[in-house]
Amino acid sequence: MPDINNLKNYLLIGSAVFLSITIFACLLRAILGPRFTDRIIAANIIGTKTIALISIMSLIVGEDYLVDICLIYAIISFLSVVVLARSVIEQKHKSGGSNNINNNSHSADDLRSMIQQIWREPFNYIFEEQ
Amino acid sequence: MLRIIIAALLMLAGLFVLGVATIGIFRFSTMLNRIHIAAKCDTLGALLVLSSLIVLSGMTIFSLKLLLVIIFLWLSNPVSSHLVARAEVKTNPDLNKICDFMRFDEQGNLIKLNIKTDDEVSAS
């Protein structure tokens, strides 16, 4: 029968590694997603998985007070999703059903102009429909 | 020893839910389906993983804080997924091809009923 402490450490470290791999997969969806709501929910999922990861790490290190970060992070990720979704709904409501966001944005063909567009107009890049 | 076995079972179930959900995020083709997956995986996966940590560390203040995190996640996830679905429905011009919908005016009266029949679905 192996050592009890070793078993607990293997369990926690293995689950932390697996969680971080799934976080990378969700980041892929945030980059690839054709619509902007894909990116909003990817940010939400990454936030929830980070909460689980911080709790596991606080047990590995042995410091009990690090779980306060999880409490605040849950509130902040919920707030960010609410602010992003409501800003889009209010903007759509004001412009009366038609989408005025795309009037000033230029669709980017190659990588360099895409990076320039992200740097100069980040709001248009996030919310443009493809 | 029994405590570690129970915690390991709960943790493996939670990681299974989270892993299957990340595969499901890539496999579904419609946006509304992906919102459904995100809501399910967040609440159930976080519940199982965090409750295994509660079992593993006994009756301390650490477990109480984790219980507070679980309660807050269960209260806030339905609200955020509903808001994201609402934002998506209002700004998507191609909603005709995905689902059937009805239109209402401000007082709640039915203007237009747009439900596809079986012939139209098989033709598209």
Side-chain angles (χ1 to χ4, degrees):
Chain A
M1 194 51 95
D3 215 2
I4 287 187
N5 272 337
N6 264 347
L7 213 57
K8 177 175 150 186
N9 258 342
Y10 286 159
L11 172 73
L12 291 176
I13 292 177
S15 56
V17 167
F18 185 74
L19 258 183
S20 49
I21 293 175
T22 53
I23 286 181
F24 269 117
C26 279
L27 192 64
L28 204 66
R29 172 47 89 194
I31 297 173
L32 282 181
R35 288 188 50 83
F36 68 95
T37 41
D38 275 317
R39 298 180 177 119
I40 297 178
I41 58 163
N44 198 14
I45 296 178
I46 289 177
T48 307
K49 286 184 179 164
T50 304
I51 291 172
L53 192 61
I54 290 179
S55 312
I56 292 176
M57 290 305 294
S58 83
L59 265 187
I60 290 178
V61 172
E63 312 283 343
D64 275 353
Y65 50 83
L66 293 175
V67 82
D68 303 343
I69 305 176
C70 297
L71 212 45
I72 295 182
Y73 200 77
I75 297 175
I76 285 183
S77 76
F78 168 62
L79 192 68
S80 74
V81 169
V82 166
V83 163
L84 276 173
R86 272 191 71 100
S87 72
V88 171
I89 293 176
E90 297 290 324
Q91 194 170 24
K92 202 61 198 275
H93 209 63
K94 272 183 201 165
S95 64
S98 68
N99 201 2
N100 289 335
I101 303 177
N102 281 336
N103 281 342
N104 298 330
S105 74
H106 315 283
S107 63
D109 295 326
D110 54 343
L111 187 65
R112 188 173 175 202
S113 52
M114 186 167 85
I115 293 178
Q116 279 178 351
Q117 187 193 0
I118 295 175
W119 187 251
R120 285 180 201 147
E121 305 170 333
F123 194 78
N124 280 345
Y125 175 74
I126 295 175
F127 288 112
E128 87 182 3
E129 298 173 9
Q130 299 169 5
Chain B
M1 191 63 200
L2 184 64
R3 170 187 285 188
I4 295 183
I5 292 178
I6 293 179
L9 281 177
L10 282 173
M11 178 80 87
L12 286 176
L15 291 180
F16 175 71
V17 167
L18 286 179
V20 165
T22 51
I23 297 179
I25 287 258
F26 283 99
R27 288 280 291 171
F28 279 102
S29 52
T30 328
M31 185 57 219
L32 292 170
N33 287 342
R34 283 186 225 134
I35 293 176
H36 175 86
I37 294 294
K40 294 295 169 290
C41 102
D42 271 351
T43 45
L44 192 63
L47 171 79
L48 288 173
V49 168
L50 292 179
S51 50
S52 89
L53 293 180
I54 289 178
V55 163
L56 204 53
S57 72
M59 192 97 104
T60 58
I61 299 242
F62 183 80
S63 313
L64 189 68
K65 289 177 187 168
L66 281 180
L67 198 65
L68 276 176
V69 169
I70 290 178
I71 288 175
F72 183 77
L73 276 177
W74 269 61
L75 283 179
S76 71
N77 251 320
V79 176
S80 60
S81 64
H82 169 76
L83 270 177
V84 171
R86 202 167 166 204
E88 199 264 339
V89 161
K90 283 207 173 191
T91 60
N92 195 357
D94 292 337
L95 208 57
N96 285 328
K97 303 170 186 160
I98 302 174
C99 54
D100 318 320
F101 53 92
M102 306 184 262
R103 277 194 207 279
F104 294 91
D105 62 355
E106 283 140 17
Q107 290 166 356
N109 305 323
L110 187 64
I111 302 177
K112 185 176 165 193
L113 191 69
N114 189 16
I115 294 183
K116 291 185 192 168
T117 57
D118 281 342
D119 304 331
E120 293 173 14
V121 167
S122 55
S124 67

